[in-house]
């Protein structure tokens, strides 16, 4: 391990020893990195990764101990039918109860989703070793794009390796220095980065503040085209963008509306189409970016859906699309099956909504303040960073896996524990979580 001395090549020699670069620059870099890492530790913002030894689900086994994979609710919803061999591990009272995945609909370990992935893997292979426009497009990619467009009731769709890529690719391809983009200040990092990459005039409006957006739109009238960009649902607060008002302003000031639906696709709105369906503005939002890596099976992948000429242009100009490998068939198989399940029925989404309601109302009755409204992201607002950290730790000691967030991820003084509800949580899981919060809250003074 580095101790500040110059680095020797193949220290310790022999197979298996780390090969380290020699020279002053490498040594300097190493010193700088170590110091930066120390700063992160010192600031208390170090992010460690818990290692999971089971599939994604309401019940997890952490590496080194714990219990099984699936909840009884999964079975009740038909998510894990009894004929599935793994269903023998249902109704697990012990182990880690997981409340921090974006597995909103519980499809990440759905047997039909997994089967679809295996079939796609066998039929279409491990991957394409190619970008889409060289020899990386298979029939399943075209089918999935068509399905996504149909799901969102848009003209066309384009796949990316992730929604981060979709956000990185769209603004630069679409907007020029003649145009303007108006972005909510709390938009996801990938939107912020995507906007940084484009040469359009940039306006940042206060979070969900329609007066500020209107003022910025007035200012932006001098530009050729205006694009308002917002998360549909904000992942730190579980709040939903006021899309009706945004669309009204967009109409008034002749602007386009772009939404990132990563925390909405598949479950918000009567048919799970997203925030635009929930708020009745499907015909007013022009562009949607979303992920296949959360509610839609949770494997990976992202997309843009919208007008056909825009999608055609992205295929020609969008750099993360043009210069990155096409989505692996197994991943395409997962997402495609997830969409089939959602287009067949909205029962899973409704079940998640009912469980969200149960958690929010029981926690509020217990005396906690939960940010947002009707969204499965349920931030338990605590204020103090240390309180959030110790309570999250104590929740895990009681077998409940939740994560505390504090500055700089959220504003100073607004530390919280974020709870995420899934369709595969049972009512008992929810109640156990509320009971644990109540005990831990009393112990640490968050509740009287
Ligand atoms: N946009 C939002 C709002 C997100 O929360 C995320 C993921 O955390 C992304 C984009 C990126 O999605 P992906 O994981 O598909 O890259």
């Amino acid at each position: 391990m580095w101790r500040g001395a110059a680095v020797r090549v193949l220290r310790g020699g022999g197979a298996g020893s780390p090969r380290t670069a020699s020279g002053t620059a490498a040594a300097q870099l190493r010193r700088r990195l170590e110091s930066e890492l120390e700063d992160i530790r010192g600031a208390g913002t170090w992010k460690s990764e818990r290692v999971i030894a089971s599939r994604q689900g309401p019940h997890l086994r952490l590496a080194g101990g714990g219990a099984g994979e699936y909840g009884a609710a999964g079975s009740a919803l038909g998510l894990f039918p009894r004929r599935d061999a793994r269903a023998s591990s249902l109704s697990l009272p012990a182990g880690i109860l997981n409340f921090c995945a974006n597995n909103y609909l519980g499809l990440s370990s759905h047997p039909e989703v997994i089967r679809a992935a295996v079939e796609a893997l066998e039929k279409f292979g491990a991957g394409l070793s190619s970008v889409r426009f060289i020899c990386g497009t298979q029939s399943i990619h075209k089918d999935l794009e068509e399905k996504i467009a149909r799901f969102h009731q848009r003209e066309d769709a384009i796949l990316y390796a992730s929604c981060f890529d979709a956000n990185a690719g769209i603004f630069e391809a679409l907007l020029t220095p003649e145009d303007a983009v108006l972005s909510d200040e709390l938009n996801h990092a990938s939107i912020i980065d995507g906007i940084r990459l484009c040469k359009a005039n940039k306006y940042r409006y206060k979070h969900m503040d329609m007066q500020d957006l209107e003022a910025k739109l007035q200012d932006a009238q001098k530009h050729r085209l205006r694009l308002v960009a917002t998360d549909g649902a904000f992942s730190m607060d579980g709040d939903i963008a006021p899309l009706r008002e945004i669309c009204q302003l967009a109409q008034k000031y002749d602007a386009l509306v772009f939404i990132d639906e990563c925390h909405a696709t598949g479950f918000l709105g009567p048919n799970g189409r997203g925030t635009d369906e929930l708020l009745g503005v499907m015909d007013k939002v022009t562009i949607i970016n979303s992920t296949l890596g959360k509610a839609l099976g949770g494997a990976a992948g992202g997309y843009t859906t919208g007008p056909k000429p825009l999608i055609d242009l992205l295929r020609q100009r969008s750099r993360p699309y043009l210069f990155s490998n096409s989505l692996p068939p197994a991943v395409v198989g997962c997402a495609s099956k997830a969409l089939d399940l959602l287009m067949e029925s909205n029962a899973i989404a409704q079940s998640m909504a009912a469980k969200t309601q149960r958690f929010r109302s029981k926690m509020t009755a217990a005396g906690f303040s939960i940010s947002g409204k009707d969204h499965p992201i349920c931030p338990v607002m605590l204020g103090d960073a240390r309180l959030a950290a110790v309570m999250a730790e104590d929740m895990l000691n009681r077998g409940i896996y939740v994560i505390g967030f504090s500055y700089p991820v959220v504003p100073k003084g607004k530390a919280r524990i974020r709870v995420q509800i899934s369709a595969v949580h049972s009512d008992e899981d929810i109640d156990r979580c509320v009971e644990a919060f109540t005990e831990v809250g009393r112990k640490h003074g968050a509740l009287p």
Side-chain angles (χ1 to χ4, degrees), residues 102 161-165 167 188-191 231 233 235 260-263 290-294 300-302:
N102 301 307
S162 67
C163 186
F164 203 108
D165 277 354
N167 286 342
H188 189 259
S190 53
I191 299 179
D231 279 11
S235 62
D260 175 323
E261 288 282 86
C262 284
H263 295 278
S290 194
T291 186
L292 305 171
K294 299 193 195 298

Side-chain angles (χ1 to χ4, degrees), residues 61-388:
R61 188 160 30 85
L62 297 182
E69 296 169 2
Y70 304 126
S75 171
L77 279 171
L79 295 181
F80 309 115
R82 294 252 167 219
R83 66 187 146 76
D84 188 321
R86 291 173 302 274
S88 57
S89 63
L90 286 173
S91 64
L92 296 163
I96 301 301
L97 245 180
N98 177 20
F99 281 93
C100 53
N102 301 307
N103 183 22
Y104 298 114
L105 298 176
L107 299 182
S108 301
S109 299
H110 190 296
E112 282 189 52
V113 172
I114 293 170
R115 206 170 305 124
V118 171
E119 281 168 14
L121 181 66
E122 282 178 349
K123 187 164 176 197
F124 291 97
L128 275 298
S129 312
S130 177
V131 297
R132 285 286 298 273
F133 80 95
I134 297 182
C135 68
T137 300
Q138 292 171 316
S139 51
I140 45 171
H141 295 97
K142 298 308 287 178
D143 291 347
L144 179 56
E145 285 170 340
E146 182 277 322
K147 212 174 273 186
I148 288 169
R150 192 153 36 90
F151 180 79
H152 285 285
Q153 300 175 20
R154 298 308 201 270
E155 290 174 13
D156 201 356
I158 177 175
L159 288 171
Y160 286 88
S162 67
C163 186
F164 203 108
D165 277 354
N167 286 342
I170 189 156
F171 301 102
E172 188 197 17
L174 178 64
L175 304 174
T176 73
E178 286 183 81
D179 305 317
V181 56
L182 302 97
S183 172
D184 186 294
E185 65 180 348
L186 292 192
N187 275 341
H188 189 259
S190 53
I191 299 179
I192 295 169
D193 286 6
I195 289 174
R196 273 191 195 137
L197 289 171
C198 84
K199 296 197 172 69
N201 299 276
K202 291 151 195 153
Y203 296 81
R204 205 164 69 126
Y205 64 91
K206 291 193 194 119
H207 181 48
M208 304 208 306
D209 183 329
M210 293 301 98
Q211 269 188 344
D212 195 35
L213 174 59
E214 180 155 23
K216 303 263 154 63
L217 276 166
Q218 283 164 354
D219 202 12
Q221 285 307 292
K222 52 187 176 269
H223 306 299
R224 179 183 66 174
L225 184 148
R226 287 150 295 284
L227 178 69
V228 180
T230 181
D231 279 11
F234 291 84
S235 62
M236 281 301 135
D237 291 297
D239 49 2
I240 292 168
L243 275 191
R244 260 187 232 123
E245 293 77 2
I246 289 176
C247 289
Q248 275 163 10
L249 285 176
Q251 207 159 5
K252 185 168 170 190
Y253 293 98
D254 194 21
L256 299 171
V257 177
F258 159 98
I259 54 176
D260 175 323
E261 288 282 86
C262 284
H263 295 278
T265 302
F267 55 90
L268 284 191
N271 300 296
R273 289 336 186 232
T275 319
D276 57 342
E277 189 196 32
L278 178 75
L279 298 174
V281 290
M282 283 183 88
D283 56 337
K284 302 210 163 50
V285 171
T286 307
I287 308 165
I288 294 174
N289 276 8
S290 194
T291 186
L292 305 171
K294 299 193 195 298
L296 299 185
Y303 58 86
T304 297
T305 184
K308 185 161 184 345
L310 167 70
I311 304 303
D312 287 346
L313 182 80
L314 291 174
R315 289 192 205 283
Q316 303 305 313
R317 291 260 174 82
S318 181
R319 292 167 71 83
Y321 180 82
L322 288 169
F323 300 112
S324 187
N325 208 17
S326 65
L327 271 186
V331 167
V332 175
C334 287
S336 193
K337 177 54 74 176
L339 283 168
D340 288 345
L341 294 170
L342 297 183
M343 287 198 269
E344 270 165 30
S345 153
N346 63 0
I348 304 174
Q350 281 179 353
S351 159
M352 189 219 57
K355 281 155 195 167
T356 297
Q357 181 55 30
R358 185 181 185 94
F359 180 80
R360 282 180 171 271
S361 58
K362 288 200 164 203
M363 284 291 282
T364 307
F368 285 104
S369 159
I370 312 295
S371 167
K373 190 171 162 279
D374 297 338
H375 196 280
I377 293 173
C378 305
V380 181
M381 302 306 288
L382 297 166
D384 181 64
R386 219 189 131 269
L387 178 64

